[in-house]
Amino acid sequence: MSSVQKNLFLLLIVILLAAAPLFMHRSGEFAGADDQAEEAISQIRPDYEPWFKPVWEPPSGEVETFLFAAQAAIGSGIVCYFLGYSKGKKQREQK
């Protein structure tokens, strides 16, 4: 099996793993952990008041999702850059 075939196979597996929950639970609601925590707290103590308010709240859920995805992309880019840099440095030292 060539490296191109291996990469395509791995990409197919990743796509299937990402899409499977969406098809298995079509009517499911995918809420964030913070929403679930807020609901649990309000069931335990209905009179609970948060300690502080956010400085800025995004205008919509889509903006909040975009900011979260951008943060994840920037973080993974930084981590992958340093992993690639260290691998290249190690390969250069071996030559």
Side-chain angles (χ1 to χ4, degrees):
M1 190 178 242
S2 72
S3 64
V4 173
Q5 290 175 331
K6 287 179 187 177
N7 288 337
L8 288 174
F9 181 68
L10 289 173
L11 180 64
L12 179 66
I13 289 174
V14 168
I15 291 171
L16 287 174
L17 286 173
L22 299 174
F23 290 111
M24 292 172 62
H25 299 285
R26 289 186 184 192
S27 63
E29 185 176 324
F30 296 98
D34 53 347
D35 294 333
Q36 293 175 353
E38 185 178 339
E39 184 179 315
I41 290 170
S42 66
Q43 288 178 355
I44 295 170
R45 283 189 58 194
D47 59 334
Y48 176 77
E49 290 287 328
W51 292 359
F52 57 89
K53 300 278 186 204
V55 176
W56 176 75
E57 197 164 323
S60 69
E62 289 82 12
V63 174
E64 185 177 359
T65 302
F66 167 73
L67 292 174
F68 181 77
Q71 177 185 356
I74 291 169
S76 64
I78 291 170
V79 169
C80 291
Y81 171 80
F82 282 107
L83 287 174
Y85 179 79
S86 65
K87 182 178 179 181
K89 186 176 177 182
K90 188 181 286 188
Q91 287 178 349
R92 184 177 53 217
E93 289 173 357
Q94 288 178 353
K95 286 185 180 182

